[in-house]
Amino acid sequence: MSALPALDQLNTPAGMGKLNGFLGARSYVSGFAPSQADVELLKALDGVNVDEKKAGHVARFVNHMNAFSEAERSAWPAAQAEAAAPAEEDDIAFDDDDLFGEETEEDIAARKALDEEMA
């Protein structure tokens, strides 16, 4: 996951590209709700030319933030600390609990192989 670029680099193609990548995976700078970090980024983007075709995620962010009134934005809390990264899907054993007793493709293949051996 990319990091938020330095706010003074947003008028450069590299800075805008990095911000676009950062916002590609999230709606808000920090957490799952708007915060003062979003207000800070919106202020940093004021006056910066955001090309919708080259930086679509940045344009979406600006449009989304501008949908809120100044009063709403000023009431947002301080930014949250970064949450711990979620566990990788491989780390979670979904197949261990077969609550419905459904037969998987592996079960079917094993049963067919056993049937062939028995025949």
Side-chain angles (χ1 to χ4, degrees), residues 23-39:
L23 292 173
R26 56 183 53 93
S27 295
Y28 304 106
V29 172
S30 175
F32 298 102
S35 68
Q36 289 304 308
D38 297 294
V39 174

Side-chain angles (χ1 to χ4, degrees), residues 2-10 12 14-23 26 29 40-41 44-45 58:
S2 61
L4 183 65
L7 298 182
D8 62 349
Q9 299 295 313
L10 298 179
T12 67
M16 185 60 66
K18 189 170 182 182
L19 178 60
N20 195 57
F22 176 81
L23 292 173
R26 56 183 53 93
V29 172
E40 184 180 338
L41 178 57
L45 287 167
V58 177

Side-chain angles (χ1 to χ4, degrees), residues 44-57:
L45 287 167
D46 188 37
V48 174
N49 182 23
V50 178
D51 184 349
E52 227 176 274
K53 292 180 181 173
K54 293 181 181 176
H57 298 299

